[in-house]
Amino acid sequence: MIERLKNLFGSPEDEPTQPDNHQLAVAATALMVQLSRVDNEQDDEELKTIVDCAVRAHQVTREEAEDILQDALNHADDATSLYEFTGMINEQLDQEEKQILLESIWRVALADGRIDKYEEHLIRRMADLLHLNHREFMQARHRAEGAD
């Protein structure tokens, strides 16, 4: 697992490579894991929502999504900043795809039936790092709220 993360982020002397779908799924899932932990009340419904979002967004099987989630959970505390994840996402996804990701992030926040002020703050920070404006931030939230 450590090797997969090293391959995902690489070192500066490594030759640049295009991340594959799996690596993008790990980066997106890691953002959702960070969100699920911000209120210190990560629950099973949030984790289930993360797996559901990975299956839907990245065309992976449920088992692959659960493996990705486990990797992200195991290494969530090792991340030094959100930029580790958002940098790759910004390089690979267009605005619409990033907005869809933000909608999934909102779904994780909504999974437990409430939005904690720390969750909303972190989502706003993620949106900024993903270069999404306030309108896109709000549209993603409204779509996630309407998906229930």
Side-chain angles (χ1 to χ4, degrees):
M1 285 189 213
I2 298 290
E3 279 305 308
R4 285 204 304 202
L5 285 175
K6 284 181 184 175
N7 291 337
L8 176 65
F9 298 111
S11 61
E13 64 272 4
D14 291 342
E15 285 200 25
T17 58
Q18 290 288 88
D20 62 22
N21 228 13
H22 179 83
Q23 291 169 320
L24 285 171
V26 169
T29 301
L31 290 177
M32 293 180 212
V33 166
Q34 294 295 337
L35 176 69
S36 72
R37 291 183 167 186
V38 75
D39 64 357
N40 295 318
E41 295 180 24
Q42 176 178 290
D43 65 24
D44 290 340
E45 195 58 38
E46 288 174 331
L47 298 179
K48 179 186 174 302
T49 301
I50 291 171
V51 170
D52 292 345
C53 288
V55 168
R56 187 173 45 254
H58 302 289
Q59 294 84 41
V60 296
T61 66
R62 181 156 294 283
E63 293 76 25
E64 289 170 320
E66 288 170 358
D67 287 343
I68 290 167
L69 173 61
Q70 196 56 53
D71 285 349
L73 287 168
N74 290 337
H75 301 290
D77 294 330
D78 295 338
T80 56
S81 76
L82 296 174
Y83 186 76
E84 292 177 39
F85 309 118
T86 59
M88 178 198 312
I89 291 167
N90 282 328
E91 290 175 10
Q92 299 300 314
L93 301 183
D94 63 25
Q95 284 299 105
E96 184 178 338
E97 291 167 324
K98 291 188 292 186
Q99 196 172 3
I100 292 168
L101 170 58
L102 192 66
E103 181 181 336
S104 293
I105 292 169
W106 274 114
R107 285 188 179 142
V108 173
L110 291 162
D112 61 4
R114 63 183 178 77
I115 301 286
D116 180 272
K117 67 180 179 179
Y118 300 110
E119 289 174 323
E120 185 164 358
H121 175 76
L122 183 58
I123 296 170
R124 187 170 300 279
R125 206 165 127 225
M126 288 177 185
D128 288 344
L129 290 171
L130 293 171
H131 310 296
L132 295 171
N133 63 37
H134 183 70
R135 179 183 52 80
E136 292 165 321
F137 169 84
M138 293 307 296
Q139 286 174 337
R141 179 177 184 161
H142 291 304
R143 280 197 309 272
E145 289 171 337
D148 295 331

